[in-house]
Amino acid sequence: MVQTSRQLFLQHQAQTSDFPLLLEIERAEGVYMYGPDGRRYLDLISGIGVSNVGHRHPRVLEAIRNQLDKYLHLMVYGELVQVIPAELAHALVETLPPPLESVYFTNSGAEAIEGALKIAKRHTGRTELISCLNAYHGSTHGALSITGSESFKNSYRPLLPDVRHLRHNDFSDLALITERTAAVIIETVQGEAGVRIPGPYYLPALRRRCREVGALLILDEIQCGYGRTGSFWAFEQFGIEPDILVCAKGMGGGMPIGAFISSTEIMSGLKTDPILGHCTTFGGHPVSCAAALATLRVIQDENLVAGVAAKAARFRAQLQHPAIRAVRGCGLLMAVEFESFQVLKLIIDHALAHEGILTDWFLFCDNSLRLAPPLIITDEQIDEACAALLRAISEVIN
Ligand code: PLP
C-alpha cells in the first residue's frame, strides 16, 4: 500500500514534538503558501524570520540559477577564491560600521553562534560567557549552553561551564560582567522571549560595562536583523555597535546560511594556534551565497526597510480586541499577547483551519502570537491578515 507523505513524515522523520503543524505545502510564492489541494495560506511568520523578501523572490531564484550553471560545492570554507562569496562579504561589510570588516560564513545560525563564542574566548583568553534569561541562541551544545531557559537545557547537561545569565533589561545585573568575562551575548531584540525590546538606555549601559571590563559584546541578530525591525541591523536603533555580530535566517532569502562578523584583528585568532580555528565544509556554499547576495540587493533596491514602520503601524492599528492584552513589537517582529496559552492555541488553530492564516507562538512565551510576515507584505494583505485574525479571535472567545 502506498503511504501518504504525511504517514512517511510521521513514521520516518524524527519528530520534535507530539504536536507538529502537519500542514502539507506544495509550493510557495511571495507571502503565500499553497497546499496540494490548492488551498492558500497567508504566511505571517516567514518560516520563523527567514522569508523577509518573500518566498521564491524572482531575483533570488535567478541568482541561484546562475550559480547552478557555474558550480556547486568546490572546497571546504576558506581555501578557494569564489566570486560570489567574496562579493557577499564585501556587500555585508558595506552595511556595517568599521571595524566590522571580516565575515565568516556558516551553515546556520547556531554554527555562527559557536564561531562567535569561540573567537571571543580566543581573543580575550577568558572563559566566562554571559547571556540573558529567556534568550534563544540555537540548539547545538555551545549555543544551548548560553540559551536562557533551564527547561530547555536540563536534559542535555553537562553543557559549557562558566556560563552566567543576566535578567534582560536589568541594570543591576550588569555588575555580573567582570574582568573574567570573555563575552556578553544578547539578541538586540529578544525573539523567542516573546519580542522583548530593551529600554533606551539598557544596551548603551551594557556596551559601556563590556568596555570597562574588556569583555566583548556579541549581538545575535539572527532573528531581528536583515530589516525585520525597521533598520537593516536592529542595533542601529539602539545607539550601540557590537564587537561581533551574528546573522542567519533572513540572510539567505530561503537558503541556509549564517555568518559571524568582527574586526580583522579579532578574527585573526582563527588563523593560528591552531590553524583552522573554525572549519566548515559547507559554510559559505556558493548557491547559498548567491541567494544571500541577491536577498541583500532586493532589500536595498526595493527599499524594504523603509516600509517596515508603516506596515507595523497598520497591523497595530487594526489589532484591537478586548481579548488582546498587549501588542509588543519592533518593526515587523511582533507579539500579540492573550490571557493564556489555551486561548492562544485555539486562536492559532482556528486561524489556520478556517482562515488560512499561519501564525505561531514563541519558545519562551506561550501566551503571545508571533507575527513576523515577509517584509514585502502589502497593505491589502495586512488588512486581509488582520480581519482574519480578528474573526478567529472573536470565534474562539465567544
Ligand atoms: N539565535 C536566534 C535569536 C534565533 O532566533 C535562532 C533560531 O531561531 C538561532 C539563534 C539559531 O539559528 P538556527 O536555527 O539557524 O541554528
Side-chain angles (χ1 to χ4, degrees), residues 71 74-87:
Y71 53 84
L74 297 177
M75 181 56 176
V76 298
Y77 178 87
E79 299 296 334
L80 301 188
V81 178
Q82 301 176 48
V83 173
I84 297 291
E87 281 183 8

PDB file of all heavy atoms in Angstrom, residues 71 74-87:
ATOM      1  N   TYR A  71      28.975  26.364 -10.675  1.00  0.00           N
ATOM      2  CA  TYR A  71      29.445  25.243  -9.847  1.00  0.00           C
ATOM      3  C   TYR A  71      28.660  25.190  -8.544  1.00  0.00           C
ATOM      4  O   TYR A  71      28.054  26.182  -8.140  1.00  0.00           O
ATOM      5  CB  TYR A  71      30.951  25.321  -9.551  1.00  0.00           C
ATOM      6  CG  TYR A  71      31.438  26.636  -8.961  1.00  0.00           C
ATOM      7  CD1 TYR A  71      31.367  26.879  -7.589  1.00  0.00           C
ATOM      8  CD2 TYR A  71      31.977  27.627  -9.776  1.00  0.00           C
ATOM      9  CE1 TYR A  71      31.833  28.074  -7.054  1.00  0.00           C
ATOM     10  CE2 TYR A  71      32.436  28.820  -9.247  1.00  0.00           C
ATOM     11  CZ  TYR A  71      32.359  29.040  -7.878  1.00  0.00           C
ATOM     12  OH  TYR A  71      32.807  30.225  -7.357  1.00  0.00           O
ATOM     13  N   LEU A  74      32.777  23.380  -4.076  1.00  0.00           N
ATOM     14  CA  LEU A  74      34.092  23.089  -4.638  1.00  0.00           C
ATOM     15  C   LEU A  74      35.069  22.606  -3.584  1.00  0.00           C
ATOM     16  O   LEU A  74      35.866  21.702  -3.802  1.00  0.00           O
ATOM     17  CB  LEU A  74      34.688  24.346  -5.289  1.00  0.00           C
ATOM     18  CG  LEU A  74      33.950  24.950  -6.482  1.00  0.00           C
ATOM     19  CD1 LEU A  74      34.647  26.225  -6.934  1.00  0.00           C
ATOM     20  CD2 LEU A  74      33.892  23.951  -7.631  1.00  0.00           C
ATOM     21  N   MET A  75      35.004  23.248  -2.408  1.00  0.00           N
ATOM     22  CA  MET A  75      36.064  23.025  -1.431  1.00  0.00           C
ATOM     23  C   MET A  75      35.571  23.526  -0.081  1.00  0.00           C
ATOM     24  O   MET A  75      34.665  24.362  -0.027  1.00  0.00           O
ATOM     25  CB  MET A  75      37.309  23.820  -1.900  1.00  0.00           C
ATOM     26  CG  MET A  75      38.531  23.720  -1.046  1.00  0.00           C
ATOM     27  SD  MET A  75      39.065  22.012  -0.811  1.00  0.00           S
ATOM     28  CE  MET A  75      40.560  22.274   0.122  1.00  0.00           C
ATOM     29  N   VAL A  76      36.161  23.035   1.008  1.00  0.00           N
ATOM     30  CA  VAL A  76      35.763  23.495   2.347  1.00  0.00           C
ATOM     31  C   VAL A  76      35.996  25.002   2.464  1.00  0.00           C
ATOM     32  O   VAL A  76      36.708  25.599   1.665  1.00  0.00           O
ATOM     33  CB  VAL A  76      36.559  22.758   3.451  1.00  0.00           C
ATOM     34  CG1 VAL A  76      36.279  21.280   3.399  1.00  0.00           C
ATOM     35  CG2 VAL A  76      38.062  23.049   3.338  1.00  0.00           C
ATOM     36  N   TYR A  77      35.429  25.588   3.505  1.00  0.00           N
ATOM     37  CA  TYR A  77      35.486  27.038   3.706  1.00  0.00           C
ATOM     38  C   TYR A  77      36.930  27.552   3.738  1.00  0.00           C
ATOM     39  O   TYR A  77      37.816  26.942   4.332  1.00  0.00           O
ATOM     40  CB  TYR A  77      34.813  27.405   5.044  1.00  0.00           C
ATOM     41  CG  TYR A  77      34.881  28.879   5.327  1.00  0.00           C
ATOM     42  CD1 TYR A  77      33.902  29.742   4.844  1.00  0.00           C
ATOM     43  CD2 TYR A  77      35.959  29.426   6.035  1.00  0.00           C
ATOM     44  CE1 TYR A  77      33.987  31.100   5.065  1.00  0.00           C
ATOM     45  CE2 TYR A  77      36.044  30.789   6.254  1.00  0.00           C
ATOM     46  CZ  TYR A  77      35.062  31.616   5.766  1.00  0.00           C
ATOM     47  OH  TYR A  77      35.139  32.965   5.978  1.00  0.00           O
ATOM     48  N   GLY A  78      37.141  28.681   3.089  1.00  0.00           N
ATOM     49  CA  GLY A  78      38.349  29.463   3.342  1.00  0.00           C
ATOM     50  C   GLY A  78      39.558  29.148   2.499  1.00  0.00           C
ATOM     51  O   GLY A  78      40.649  29.643   2.802  1.00  0.00           O
ATOM     52  N   GLU A  79      39.416  28.337   1.453  1.00  0.00           N
ATOM     53  CA  GLU A  79      40.600  27.979   0.662  1.00  0.00           C
ATOM     54  C   GLU A  79      40.584  28.602  -0.735  1.00  0.00           C
ATOM     55  O   GLU A  79      41.573  29.168  -1.172  1.00  0.00           O
ATOM     56  CB  GLU A  79      40.706  26.450   0.544  1.00  0.00           C
ATOM     57  CG  GLU A  79      40.855  25.735   1.893  1.00  0.00           C
ATOM     58  CD  GLU A  79      42.143  26.077   2.622  1.00  0.00           C
ATOM     59  OE1 GLU A  79      43.130  26.446   1.961  1.00  0.00           O
ATOM     60  OE2 GLU A  79      42.156  26.009   3.868  1.00  0.00           O
ATOM     61  N   LEU A  80      39.455  28.461  -1.425  1.00  0.00           N
ATOM     62  CA  LEU A  80      39.415  28.917  -2.819  1.00  0.00           C
ATOM     63  C   LEU A  80      38.788  30.309  -2.926  1.00  0.00           C
ATOM     64  O   LEU A  80      37.915  30.661  -2.131  1.00  0.00           O
ATOM     65  CB  LEU A  80      38.580  27.943  -3.667  1.00  0.00           C
ATOM     66  CG  LEU A  80      39.040  26.489  -3.702  1.00  0.00           C
ATOM     67  CD1 LEU A  80      38.214  25.720  -4.730  1.00  0.00           C
ATOM     68  CD2 LEU A  80      40.526  26.369  -4.031  1.00  0.00           C
ATOM     69  N   VAL A  81      39.240  31.060  -3.911  1.00  0.00           N
ATOM     70  CA  VAL A  81      38.614  32.357  -4.187  1.00  0.00           C
ATOM     71  C   VAL A  81      37.388  32.097  -5.054  1.00  0.00           C
ATOM     72  O   VAL A  81      37.499  31.548  -6.160  1.00  0.00           O
ATOM     73  CB  VAL A  81      39.587  33.294  -4.933  1.00  0.00           C
ATOM     74  CG1 VAL A  81      38.892  34.624  -5.252  1.00  0.00           C
ATOM     75  CG2 VAL A  81      40.844  33.525  -4.105  1.00  0.00           C
ATOM     76  N   GLN A  82      36.234  32.470  -4.553  1.00  0.00           N
ATOM     77  CA  GLN A  82      34.991  32.320  -5.308  1.00  0.00           C
ATOM     78  C   GLN A  82      34.309  33.688  -5.348  1.00  0.00           C
ATOM     79  O   GLN A  82      34.162  34.346  -4.313  1.00  0.00           O
ATOM     80  CB  GLN A  82      34.087  31.284  -4.638  1.00  0.00           C
ATOM     81  CG  GLN A  82      34.749  29.907  -4.521  1.00  0.00           C
ATOM     82  CD  GLN A  82      33.870  28.902  -3.766  1.00  0.00           C
ATOM     83  OE1 GLN A  82      32.690  28.755  -4.043  1.00  0.00           O
ATOM     84  NE2 GLN A  82      34.460  28.218  -2.815  1.00  0.00           N
ATOM     85  N   VAL A  83      33.884  34.080  -6.535  1.00  0.00           N
ATOM     86  CA  VAL A  83      33.428  35.456  -6.742  1.00  0.00           C
ATOM     87  C   VAL A  83      32.271  35.823  -5.815  1.00  0.00           C
ATOM     88  O   VAL A  83      32.306  36.846  -5.124  1.00  0.00           O
ATOM     89  CB  VAL A  83      32.981  35.643  -8.222  1.00  0.00           C
ATOM     90  CG1 VAL A  83      32.351  37.009  -8.431  1.00  0.00           C
ATOM     91  CG2 VAL A  83      34.169  35.457  -9.143  1.00  0.00           C
ATOM     92  N   ILE A  84      31.244  34.981  -5.808  1.00  0.00           N
ATOM     93  CA  ILE A  84      30.006  35.386  -5.125  1.00  0.00           C
ATOM     94  C   ILE A  84      30.202  35.500  -3.599  1.00  0.00           C
ATOM     95  O   ILE A  84      29.796  36.507  -2.999  1.00  0.00           O
ATOM     96  CB  ILE A  84      28.854  34.425  -5.496  1.00  0.00           C
ATOM     97  CG1 ILE A  84      28.565  34.510  -6.995  1.00  0.00           C
ATOM     98  CG2 ILE A  84      27.610  34.716  -4.686  1.00  0.00           C
ATOM     99  CD1 ILE A  84      27.946  35.806  -7.461  1.00  0.00           C
ATOM    100  N   PRO A  85      30.817  34.505  -2.943  1.00  0.00           N
ATOM    101  CA  PRO A  85      31.049  34.674  -1.503  1.00  0.00           C
ATOM    102  C   PRO A  85      31.880  35.921  -1.184  1.00  0.00           C
ATOM    103  O   PRO A  85      31.597  36.638  -0.213  1.00  0.00           O
ATOM    104  CB  PRO A  85      31.787  33.391  -1.107  1.00  0.00           C
ATOM    105  CG  PRO A  85      31.334  32.378  -2.118  1.00  0.00           C
ATOM    106  CD  PRO A  85      31.176  33.148  -3.394  1.00  0.00           C
ATOM    107  N   ALA A  86      32.874  36.204  -2.015  1.00  0.00           N
ATOM    108  CA  ALA A  86      33.708  37.390  -1.766  1.00  0.00           C
ATOM    109  C   ALA A  86      32.863  38.657  -1.912  1.00  0.00           C
ATOM    110  O   ALA A  86      32.952  39.589  -1.093  1.00  0.00           O
ATOM    111  CB  ALA A  86      34.886  37.411  -2.743  1.00  0.00           C
ATOM    112  N   GLU A  87      32.007  38.679  -2.937  1.00  0.00           N
ATOM    113  CA  GLU A  87      31.152  39.873  -3.130  1.00  0.00           C
ATOM    114  C   GLU A  87      30.134  40.005  -2.008  1.00  0.00           C
ATOM    115  O   GLU A  87      29.817  41.105  -1.565  1.00  0.00           O
ATOM    116  CB  GLU A  87      30.430  39.795  -4.486  1.00  0.00           C
ATOM    117  CG  GLU A  87      31.344  40.179  -5.622  1.00  0.00           C
ATOM    118  CD  GLU A  87      30.649  40.176  -6.977  1.00  0.00           C
ATOM    119  OE1 GLU A  87      29.409  40.012  -7.033  1.00  0.00           O
ATOM    120  OE2 GLU A  87      31.372  40.314  -7.989  1.00  0.00           O
TER     121      GLU A  87
END
